[in-house]
Amino acid sequence: MIELKSYRDLTVWQKSMGLVVICYQLTSQFPKTEIYGLSSQIQRAAVSIPANIAEGKGRNHLGDYIRHLSMANGSLKELETHLMIVGRLGYLNLSSG
């Protein structure tokens, strides 16, 4: 079994950090009129995921950790909803050809 010394050792934290980078790359393609709208909301929700995982891991009580994981999960659902809206608005061309 692998000993976790830091939140940085958590696979979920590592993957969520990658998700933040992807979200910033995607929002850079949005219309400039969305800079304070969907772009900001997507970036905020994405950043909140690894931030809450890290904060929760840094707490001294299991209940606090679980509560922060729940908040991270809520931010993930918020991000998913924002990305669905982006798809409906046609802001991204995701075809590879």
Side-chain angles (χ1 to χ4, degrees):
M1 182 171 224
I2 299 172
E3 181 182 349
L4 298 176
K5 295 180 181 179
S6 168
Y7 61 88
R8 294 183 200 115
D9 297 327
L10 297 168
T11 302
V12 68
W13 180 84
Q14 295 167 8
K15 289 184 180 283
S16 65
M17 290 291 286
L19 182 60
V20 170
V21 172
I22 291 168
C23 286
Y24 270 79
Q25 290 169 343
L26 290 175
T27 57
S28 72
Q29 300 174 44
F30 289 4
K32 295 302 175 203
T33 57
E34 286 296 344
I35 196 165
Y36 300 111
L38 277 172
S39 293
S40 176
Q41 291 292 313
I42 287 170
Q43 292 167 1
R44 185 193 56 75
V47 167
S48 181
I49 298 166
N52 274 301
I53 293 168
E55 184 176 354
K57 184 71 173 145
R59 299 290 177 149
N60 292 326
H61 297 94
L62 180 61
D64 287 337
Y65 182 39
I66 292 170
R67 185 170 61 85
H68 279 83
L69 290 178
S70 178
M71 288 188 286
N73 189 48
S75 293
L76 180 61
K77 302 304 181 199
E78 179 183 0
L79 176 60
E80 178 184 31
T81 300
H82 292 323
L83 294 175
M84 292 170 76
I85 292 167
V86 164
R88 289 182 180 210
L89 292 172
Y91 282 171
L92 296 174
N93 180 7
L94 300 177
S95 64
S96 60

